[in-house]
């Protein structure tokens, strides 16, 4: 095989482009990113810092404080790099790369190599991918966990892992509920075909147990079983962009 044939083979390989895109993401984060933080970024950093110094009681007073999984991951970066803000958004960087890797595996198995390359490029060079990859926002982690739960469900992987991925998404941001219709769709399809019944039973039990622990923990620490929703209701935006006053 000559060099031209070898190059042509590499250019058609999704793995080759996955590596290239990951390297570009790392370079972007390390060199090109402005590391510009806004109000929300510093809000999350402040909350994670309160956890780090032991001020846990103040964390759940704000809506963002209830995003425990995301905030606790950020505690790691604050502990390791507290004086260097350039590392504070590592959760977003790793989540973006993680989603890219999942897209690589999923699209290659389901659609083929060429589609896999196109999808990876579309995702990686989307404006919002670049924007959020260097910000202290939970959205990139939510995207990763949401797609991970879908990926595991599509290939009918271990139901406990599906429930755990979904639950971590719940602990990251409540918007994970928007993936619900996908789960309902697959549940109905399997129900009609009378397939994967054991998987769904194990998933429902696993997620039910995790959700019960979640709600009981709120009741134990706050005296309110639905404390998460109470805080959200009390801290919602009182403007025309509030979800509760907008049409469906």
């Amino acid at each position: 095989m000559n060099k031209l044939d070898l190059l042509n083979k590499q250019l058609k390989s999704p793995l080759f482009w996955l590596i290239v895109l990951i390297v570009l993401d790392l370079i972007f984060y390390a060199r090109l990113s402005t590391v510009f933080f806004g109000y929300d970024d510093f809000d999350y950093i402040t909350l994670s810092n309160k956890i780090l110094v032991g001020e846990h009681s103040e964390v759940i007073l704000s809506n963002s404080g209830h995003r425990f999984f995301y905030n606790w991951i950020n505690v790691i970066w604050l502990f390791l790099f507290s004086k260097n803000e350039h590392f504070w958004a590592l959760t977003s960087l790793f989540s973006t790369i993680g989603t890219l890797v999942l897209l690589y595996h999923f699209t290659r198995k389901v659609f083929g190599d060429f589609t896999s390359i196109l999808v990876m490029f579309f995702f990686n060079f989307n404006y919002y991918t670049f924007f959020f990859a260097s910000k202290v926002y939970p959205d990139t982690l939510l995207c990763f966990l949401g797609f991970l739960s879908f990926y595991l469900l599509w290939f009918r992987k271990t139901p406990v892992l599906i429930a755990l991925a979904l639950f971590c998404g719940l602990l990251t941001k409540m918007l994970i509920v928007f993936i619900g219709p996908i789960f309902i769709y697959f549940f109905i399809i399997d129900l009609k075909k009378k397939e994967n019944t054991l998987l769904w039973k194990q998933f429902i039990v696993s997620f039910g147990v995790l959700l019960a622990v979640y709600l009981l923990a709120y009741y134990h620490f706050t005296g309110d079983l639905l404390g998460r929703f109470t805080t959200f209701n009390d801290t919602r935006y009182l403007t025309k962009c509030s979800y509760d006053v907008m049409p469906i």
Side-chain angles (χ1 to χ4, degrees):
M1 182 179 291
N2 56 44
K3 292 184 178 179
L4 187 60
D5 291 334
L6 182 62
L7 177 62
N8 186 50
K9 184 178 180 180
Q10 285 182 330
L11 293 177
K12 292 180 179 179
S13 170
L15 179 60
F16 169 76
W17 288 112
L18 173 66
I19 295 172
V20 169
L21 292 174
I22 290 176
V23 170
L24 289 176
D25 288 341
L26 293 173
I27 293 174
F28 170 76
Y29 188 92
R31 298 293 182 184
L32 303 180
S33 173
T34 58
V35 196
F36 171 77
F37 294 152
Y39 175 82
D40 286 348
D41 301 81
F42 285 112
D43 183 37
Y44 286 113
I45 289 298
T46 300
L47 290 168
S48 296
N49 186 63
K50 286 182 179 180
I51 296 173
L52 186 62
V53 299
E55 298 177 7
H56 301 85
S57 59
E58 296 184 27
V59 173
I60 59 173
L61 296 177
S62 71
N63 182 39
S64 301
H66 294 261
R67 293 160 183 172
F68 303 111
F69 188 64
Y70 177 72
N71 290 328
W72 272 96
I73 292 178
N74 285 342
V75 168
I76 299 173
W77 312 133
L78 282 179
F79 177 76
L80 296 174
F81 314 108
S82 59
K83 295 182 180 180
N84 194 330
E85 65 182 31
H86 194 80
F87 294 98
W88 292 354
L90 283 178
T91 303
S92 294
L93 174 65
F94 293 149
S95 296
T96 300
I97 292 175
T99 305
L100 185 64
V101 172
L102 283 177
L103 281 171
Y104 159 76
H105 284 289
F106 179 78
T107 53
R108 194 177 186 188
K109 289 179 180 179
V110 178
F111 301 107
D113 289 356
F114 181 68
T115 301
S116 180
I117 294 171
L118 288 180
V119 170
M120 286 192 295
F121 265 81
F122 178 79
F123 170 77
N124 205 74
F125 293 110
N126 182 287
Y127 168 77
Y128 287 102
T129 300
F130 270 104
F131 179 81
F132 283 108
S134 60
K135 302 294 180 291
V136 188
Y137 287 174
D139 303 83
T140 48
L141 180 59
L142 182 75
C143 178
F144 170 73
L145 292 170
F147 192 70
L148 176 61
S149 65
F150 167 77
Y151 177 89
L152 294 172
L153 178 63
W154 179 278
F155 294 109
R156 301 303 194 270
K157 299 292 185 178
T158 309
V160 176
L161 292 179
I162 301 174
L164 189 60
L166 203 61
F167 183 69
C168 287
L170 179 66
L171 294 180
T172 298
K173 198 170 183 178
M174 290 294 291
L175 289 178
I176 194 70
V177 298
F178 286 112
I179 203 174
I182 297 176
F183 276 72
I184 294 173
Y185 170 78
F186 279 106
F187 176 72
I188 293 174
I189 293 298
D190 284 347
L191 200 63
K192 286 184 176 181
K193 294 181 178 179
K194 296 181 180 180
E195 296 177 348
N196 303 305
T197 53
L198 180 60
L199 179 144
W200 284 106
K201 288 178 181 178
Q202 293 177 342
F203 166 75
I204 292 171
V205 171
S206 300
F207 189 76
V209 170
L210 291 171
L211 187 61
V213 172
Y214 175 75
L215 295 175
L216 289 173
Y218 265 104
Y219 184 77
H220 175 74
F221 289 106
T222 68
D224 183 1
L225 192 68
L226 301 176
R228 172 71 181 90
F229 304 95
T230 302
T231 303
F232 180 79
N233 188 58
D234 292 341
T235 60
R236 71 187 189 281
Y237 297 116
L238 298 176
T239 66
K240 291 182 179 180
C241 68
S242 297
Y243 292 134
D244 61 329
V245 297
M246 292 180 68
I248 193 160

